[in-house]
Amino acid sequence: MNNSTCPNTSSPLVRHIFYAYLGLLLVLGLLLNGLALWVFCCRLRKWTETHIYMVNLAAADLCLLCTLPFMLFSMNKDNSGDTVLCQLSQGIYLVNRYMSISLIMAIAVDRYVAVRHPLCGRGLRSPKQAGAVCAVLWVLVVGSQLLRWVLKDQEGGFCFGNPSRQKPQTVVFSLLGFYLPLAVLVFCSLQVVTALGQRPAADVGQMEATRKAACMIWANLVVFVVCFLPLHVVLTWRLATGLNTCVIQDILHITSKVSDANCCLDAICYYYMTKEFQEASALAGTPAAKAHKSQDSLCVTVA
């Protein structure tokens, strides 16, 4: 792998655009995720599986956003050594990126179980079990990042300004942490959209609510792919070719910042997704649907 050190040749205009982008992400992300946490923790009396997942997702996004100023500070400093602040902020950043990815996967699985296997879902879905799933995901993600740090410690740790210090075995953690959730998310999303499309509509209102719910699933999948896929494609290319040129480092930097936008989009997408699924559930109106109300509520609701 080419471990050349690339000089910082970006123009003042590029740096200003970069700072403005980070500032916008910080303001919107802190506002949206902070508001989501306030609503879930202070305004809702009943906790559901989805609420627990979304609280953890908002917390992970907030933690990631809070590392951005430290990342910017570290990137503007001399990169010859890794400070404690740099290593800590990098670790928190990576933990919460892949925790967000894992939680999005968990929400998709929870929705899939509710829609495709409603009878089994009665025993598999509960707030306590959702909390246990979140706890396990936190342990796995934090543990994997600690292992990354141990594997890279002999090279000086891992830090924002040292992309050339990436080792193949540590990149594998990132790739597995994305491609596995991506496969699960695609499968679950297709299954849920298919199930919603096959559900007979009682009236125009039910049909429209079901259509909106399906659209939100597609929107969520598109947001996930657009935010995270470019970064991991570049990581895959670098691992496969062994190249780590300045151009690849610049592309990694750009795609990494694109992935950070997911912190803002999560709050918007999942708010409307929960709303549309609640409407789809509430508008079930045929006698047959009412006769199977308990089953239908599991089939079309994520909240």
Side-chain angles (χ1 to χ4, degrees), residues 82-92 149 153 156-159:
D82 293 334
T83 64
V84 174
L85 175 63
C86 184
Q87 292 187 40
L88 180 61
S89 56
Q90 173 78 62
I92 295 173
W149 185 84
D153 186 51
F158 55 96
C159 202

Side-chain angles (χ1 to χ4, degrees), residues 53 99 102-103 105-106 132-143:
Y53 288 126
M99 190 62 197
S102 299
L103 286 167
M105 175 190 66
V133 169
C134 291
V136 170
L137 289 177
W138 279 109
V139 171
L140 290 176
V141 174
V142 172

Side-chain angles (χ1 to χ4, degrees), residues 55-284:
V55 164
N56 281 269
L57 181 60
D61 288 342
L62 275 176
C63 290
L64 188 151
L65 288 165
C66 289
T67 66
L68 294 185
F70 298 101
M71 177 203 68
L72 190 59
F73 174 79
S74 297
M75 291 180 63
N76 289 329
K77 301 294 288 185
D78 181 14
N79 295 325
S80 59
D82 293 334
T83 64
V84 174
L85 175 63
C86 184
Q87 292 187 40
L88 180 61
S89 56
Q90 173 78 62
I92 295 173
Y93 177 85
L94 290 175
V95 164
N96 289 282
R97 170 192 285 170
Y98 291 99
M99 190 62 197
S100 295
I101 291 174
S102 299
L103 286 167
I104 292 171
M105 175 190 66
I107 293 173
V109 172
D110 180 73
R111 187 168 58 240
Y112 164 77
V113 171
V115 172
R116 300 296 291 186
H117 305 284
L119 297 179
C120 295
R122 295 177 183 179
L124 295 175
R125 300 176 70 239
S126 72
K128 287 184 179 180
Q129 290 173 331
V133 169
C134 291
V136 170
L137 289 177
W138 279 109
V139 171
L140 290 176
V141 174
V142 172
S144 68
Q145 297 306 322
L146 287 175
L147 184 56
R148 285 186 59 155
W149 185 84
V150 170
L151 290 173
K152 299 175 73 173
D153 186 51
Q154 59 183 350
E155 294 190 349
F158 55 96
C159 202
F160 291 109
N162 293 284
S164 62
R165 290 178 176 174
Q166 288 282 350
K167 296 170 65 177
Q169 58 264 42
T170 61
V171 175
V172 169
F173 285 108
S174 297
L175 298 182
L176 288 176
F178 169 73
Y179 286 118
L180 179 59
L182 175 63
V184 174
L185 180 62
V186 170
F187 172 80
C188 293
S189 298
L190 291 177
Q191 288 289 313
V192 172
V193 169
T194 301
L196 290 175
Q198 294 173 346
R199 183 177 301 279
D203 52 36
V204 176
Q206 173 69 12
M207 183 183 300
E208 181 65 15
T210 301
R211 185 191 67 80
K212 289 181 179 179
C215 288
M216 287 311 304
I217 292 177
W218 285 118
N220 170 243
L221 181 59
V222 169
V223 166
F224 184 89
V225 170
V226 169
C227 287
F228 292 117
L229 184 60
L231 169 64
H232 292 88
V233 167
V234 178
L235 286 174
T236 304
W237 171 260
R238 188 178 69 174
L239 179 64
T241 62
L243 297 176
N244 193 31
T245 64
C246 295
V247 173
I248 292 179
Q249 291 185 25
D250 289 339
I251 296 174
L252 277 175
H253 181 69
I254 294 172
T255 53
S256 178
K257 296 309 106 193
V258 171
S259 73
D260 293 340
N262 189 72
C263 294
C264 297
L265 298 175
D266 277 344
I268 299 173
C269 198
Y270 280 105
Y271 166 77
Y272 281 105
M273 180 173 292
T274 302
K275 179 181 178 182
E276 298 304 343
F277 268 82
Q278 287 174 335
E279 290 180 358
S281 177
L283 290 175

Side-chain angles (χ1 to χ4, degrees), residues 34-47 51 55:
L35 179 60
L37 281 178
W38 177 75
V39 170
F40 287 133
C41 296
C42 301
R43 305 297 294 178
L44 294 181
R45 296 181 179 179
K46 182 180 179 181
W47 284 73
H51 292 156
V55 164

